[in-house]
Amino acid sequence: MKNVMNSKEYEKFIQSKMPKPKTLKNCIMAFIVGGLFSDLGQLITDVFKKNEFNADQTAAGTAIILVFLGALLTGVGIYDRLGKFAGAGSIVPITGFANSIVSPAMEFKREGFVFGVGARMFTVAGPVLIYGISTSIIIGIIHYLFF
Amino acid sequence: MQKKIGKQTVKLQNPPTITSTYAIVGPKEGQGPLAEFFDQILEDDYFGEESWEKAESKLIKEAVKGAIKSSGLDIGKIDYMFAGDLLNQIISSSFAARALQIPFIGLYGACSTMAVSLSMGAMVIDGGFAENTVCVTSSHFSSAERQYRFPLEQGVQRPPYAQWTVTGSGAAVLTKYGEGPYITHITTGKIVDFGIKDANNMGAAMAPAAVDTISAHFNETGRNPGYYDLIVTGDLATIGREITIDLLKKEGYYIEAIYNDCGCMIFDNIKQDTHAGGSGCGCSAVVLNGYLYNQMKKGDIKKLLFVATGALLSPISSWQGESIPSIAHAIAIESTI
Amino acid sequence: MMDYIKAFIVGGIICVIGQLLMDHTKLTPARILVLFVTAGVILQGLGLYQKLVDIGGAGATVPLPGFGYALAKGAIKEVKEAGLIGAFTGGIKATSGGIAGAVFFGYIASVVFSPKTKK
């Protein structure tokens, strides 16, 4: 082959041939689905409040119900189909967090309940918890020292 | 007579015959445009097994059995089985070989494996080390997806240039004494890497490898694109196919009129929502052993250049930010010598 | 009713940001989730995310930055009440329901259901 390219030249060469993601359509779908999940959360929150739960209980209860729904929809095979057209609209809400826990865990059931299900549950959720919790501890320490 | 006619190409002195083939595919491939040419279409891609890995191994086992059966040979007459697949440590192949009890040589060429196994099977026969060999490979959408990408039920979007791993296995029985189609030339590829790192963008990663091998084949055999009725690459899909055509023009070869890609042939990308097209070892294997072999037998294709392409990445190399080393091997299959 | 419209818009916009990151950067969904949670924690550390929650309600708490917000808010609150130990206990305490729920329901769903191949 005579015309060898380096990665920059090749990247440029193929650029015009790569199909562009349908960003507008994707964003509209993400907006609608993300909005709907948020409204569902709002509805659950309002029901808790109406039944005179305090703020902490309401927040916890809403999160619990949403992760339950995320897990259930993943289990019955709906969440992946939702994710295909909703994109970030179904990944970013907390239901997507549940999806990221259930989907690898059920996939690795054949590899056993400890190293399969148990270990794989946290392939995505693990990093989320690690970075979220660690950052919050740092924030707490900063507030302790400076405020 | 010198069999090696160039740095990468061998000309077989006693070209072996592809005496029989067998192609078995999953349900989705069975709804594609080539459905009528497959020997067996699964209704369920678990194939009666409890895991996808076991299902994939069974695909290989059944494809080998099917090909040997239609060759009319006794399984004991098969001297070697050359096989490989995409799973770690090529377990689909070795577990199938465990059941078949044919002397087994495991290969890894990622999606180029069908061409690797045909090369080995043909050279061993031409070298006088065997009379009959079976060459086989497989891939399975669900087992590949979990190894290379995301769990099936994870709600992620596939980029528009992503490819769909074919569920299927293709096997070919080669024999020393036969009346064609013959394997006449083999051009073994070198690794080519133009620096693509995105594991979803395999067509673009592999296209330069296909171009390198196809031009080497023309150079070393003295042939030109017009010699062949059809040149077919393995699994470059729509984007890789276009890049290949353009890059070959720069090399001075115009192949567009007689060129296609198995990844573009196996699915109806729009109706079946397969984005850029098919991929996986099974893609070129079932198209060759199903559709193309059928066309050669009918006489619609007399001279075929089969160029299977492989992206030799692993999930670990991707995580470490490595680019994708790619390869392509060309096999000339002709009905007369 | 106004609450629902606001929640819809705020939640929708956060998801659109995620979509833009997915389409135009090489970030994988897992990295975006990590990024969003961490961003939520930091924004609340600066006292900013609370304002978004006041406007959007569930629209700000249901997306993953809301999880980060709850972690930071809990940690800061507990620091005020219990001192340095609070930095370690507060975040998880505030989000314990969601985490425990995700672990528990996640496990149950994984055991009960099996993945199906894509069509």
Side-chain angles (χ1 to χ4, degrees):
Chain A
M1 178 172 195
K2 286 167 271 179
N3 300 288
V4 178
M5 288 183 229
N6 65 32
S7 62
K8 273 205 188 109
E9 289 163 351
Y10 189 56
E11 198 75 52
K12 216 174 134 195
F13 177 77
I14 64 170
Q15 210 169 35
S16 64
K17 297 183 172 44
M18 300 303 294
K20 303 282 166 288
K22 298 178 186 123
T23 301
L24 183 66
K25 187 185 152 233
N26 286 349
C27 285
I28 292 171
M29 292 314 297
F31 185 76
I32 293 173
V33 175
L36 287 174
F37 273 120
S38 300
D39 273 355
L40 182 64
Q42 192 68 45
L43 183 72
I44 298 167
T45 304
D46 287 350
V47 171
F48 273 109
K49 274 189 190 152
K50 215 169 269 174
N51 290 294
E52 284 161 22
F53 285 89
N54 68 31
D56 289 347
Q57 289 165 332
T58 301
T62 307
I64 291 168
I65 289 175
L66 285 173
V67 295
F68 170 75
L69 283 175
L72 184 68
L73 291 176
T74 305
V76 296
I78 291 175
Y79 214 89
D80 64 318
R81 274 181 270 166
L82 183 65
K84 200 175 132 186
F85 70 85
S90 59
I91 291 172
V92 172
I94 194 157
T95 45
F97 181 66
N99 171 252
S100 78
I101 290 178
V102 176
S103 56
M106 63 199 268
E107 183 107 13
F108 281 83
K109 197 158 42 176
R110 282 284 312 147
E111 283 75 17
F113 284 95
V114 174
F115 287 106
V117 178
R120 299 286 181 161
M121 277 178 81
F122 295 99
T123 45
V124 176
V128 168
L129 290 174
I130 289 161
Y131 287 97
I133 290 170
S134 304
T135 321
S136 80
I137 291 171
I138 294 168
I139 295 283
I141 293 172
I142 292 172
H143 271 258
Y144 174 77
L145 295 175
F146 300 107
F147 293 94
Chain B
M1 198 180 105
Q2 177 67 268
K3 290 181 188 176
K4 187 113 189 265
I5 60 169
K7 189 179 173 216
Q8 292 174 252
T9 306
V10 295
K11 179 173 193 282
L12 299 169
Q13 214 163 20
N14 302 297
T17 286
I18 304 177
T19 182
S20 64
T21 63
Y22 198 84
I24 174 170
V25 295
K28 190 177 176 95
E29 294 70 20
Q31 290 161 5
L34 301 182
E36 58 175 306
F37 300 104
F38 300 130
D39 299 283
Q40 190 178 346
I41 295 170
L42 304 182
E43 276 170 34
D44 171 25
D45 67 357
Y46 268 115
F47 205 179
E49 296 292 326
E50 51 189 2
S51 76
W52 285 309
E53 287 75 12
K54 287 188 183 184
E56 186 176 339
S57 192
K58 191 170 168 187
L59 284 176
I60 293 198
K61 196 172 78 187
E62 295 304 317
V64 169
K65 279 188 184 166
I68 294 176
K69 195 174 166 211
S70 82
S71 75
L73 291 162
D74 183 81
I75 194 164
K77 293 274 182 206
I78 306 293
D79 300 303
Y80 289 104
M81 165 173 164
F82 292 96
D85 57 88
L86 284 176
L87 298 185
N88 291 335
Q89 286 80 40
I90 54 168
I91 51 173
S92 316
S93 303
S94 39
F95 282 55
R98 177 176 72 184
L100 292 164
Q101 289 294 305
I102 304 170
F104 165 63
I105 295 177
L107 310 164
Y108 186 78
C111 310
S112 71
T113 304
M114 194 65 228
V116 182
S117 61
L118 285 174
S119 306
M120 293 297 110
M123 288 202 260
V124 163
I125 290 176
D126 192 34
F129 302 102
E131 289 197 354
N132 307 299
T133 58
V134 62
C135 311
V136 60
T137 187
S138 70
S139 57
H140 191 300
F141 175 80
S142 301
S143 64
E145 203 66 8
R146 66 186 295 208
Q147 180 175 312
Y148 286 99
R149 297 186 188 92
F150 298 105
L152 293 172
E153 301 290 349
Q154 196 162 330
V156 290
Q157 267 173 339
R158 305 157 60 76
Y161 49 84
Q163 292 174 240
W164 191 278
T165 306
V166 166
T167 300
S169 174
V173 174
L174 308 187
T175 181
K176 190 170 185 176
Y177 310 104
E179 283 159 3
Y182 303 97
I183 294 183
T184 59
H185 292 74
I186 296 163
T187 303
T188 303
K190 308 191 301 269
I191 301 273
V192 176
D193 186 344
F194 276 13
I196 296 289
K197 288 183 177 171
D198 183 350
N200 273 314
N201 198 3
M202 291 196 299
M206 296 188 293
V211 170
D212 189 56
T213 299
I214 292 171
S215 22
H217 179 79
F218 290 146
N219 280 336
E220 294 176 7
T221 56
R223 292 176 175 177
N224 54 45
Y227 181 85
Y228 290 102
D229 299 322
L230 181 69
I231 298 174
V232 61
T233 46
D235 56 346
L236 301 178
T238 50
I239 298 145
R241 180 177 181 272
E242 273 196 42
I243 296 172
T244 302
I245 292 171
D246 279 10
L247 285 177
L248 271 170
K249 271 184 201 156
K250 291 175 118 191
E251 301 291 313
Y253 296 112
Y254 294 79
I255 61 163
E256 201 163 351
I258 44 133
Y259 169 60
N260 210 341
D261 179 78
C262 299
C264 300
M265 297 158 77
I266 189 162
F267 294 121
D268 182 330
N269 284 340
I270 294 166
K271 241 192 261 169
Q272 297 188 283
D273 195 28
T274 39
H275 298 226
S279 70
C281 305
C283 180
S284 60
V286 298
V287 173
L288 175 71
N289 294 303
Y291 172 69
L292 295 171
Y293 185 72
N294 182 286
Q295 299 294 299
M296 292 205 79
K297 276 297 214 191
K298 271 201 325 204
D300 289 354
I301 302 173
K302 293 194 172 67
K303 294 179 166 107
L304 171 73
L305 188 65
F306 173 73
V307 188
T309 41
L312 303 173
L313 76 169
S314 86
I316 289 176
S317 73
S318 289
W319 288 330
Q320 295 184 352
E322 282 276 1
S323 56
I324 302 170
S326 302
I327 200 158
H329 305 291
I331 313 272
I333 305 171
E334 303 176 58
S335 19
T336 49
I337 20 176
Chain C
M1 189 58 211
M2 204 50 213
D3 283 354
Y4 286 83
I5 294 171
K6 283 186 199 160
F8 193 97
I9 292 172
V10 171
I13 288 173
I14 294 174
C15 292
V16 168
I17 296 171
Q19 187 69 42
L20 289 172
L21 288 173
M22 269 169 50
D23 282 356
H24 295 283
T25 68
K26 294 210 186 293
L27 291 173
T28 56
R31 286 172 196 271
I32 291 171
L33 290 186
V34 169
L35 190 74
F36 271 25
V37 168
T38 314
V41 175
I42 293 170
L43 286 175
Q44 181 55 20
L46 301 168
L48 297 174
Y49 206 85
Q50 185 64 49
K51 291 183 180 127
L52 196 62
V53 174
D54 292 342
I55 301 166
T61 55
V62 168
L64 265 224
F67 182 67
Y69 152 79
L71 280 168
K73 193 180 162 193
I76 295 165
K77 184 175 158 224
E78 200 85 348
V79 162
K80 284 187 185 131
E81 287 165 10
L84 190 54
I85 298 291
F88 292 84
T89 56
I92 298 185
K93 221 186 248 181
T95 52
S96 55
I99 295 175
V103 169
F104 181 69
F105 295 128
Y107 183 75
I108 301 280
S110 313
V111 171
V112 171
F113 300 106
S114 286
K116 288 158 279 293
T117 196
K118 299 203 179 194
K119 292 268 157 36

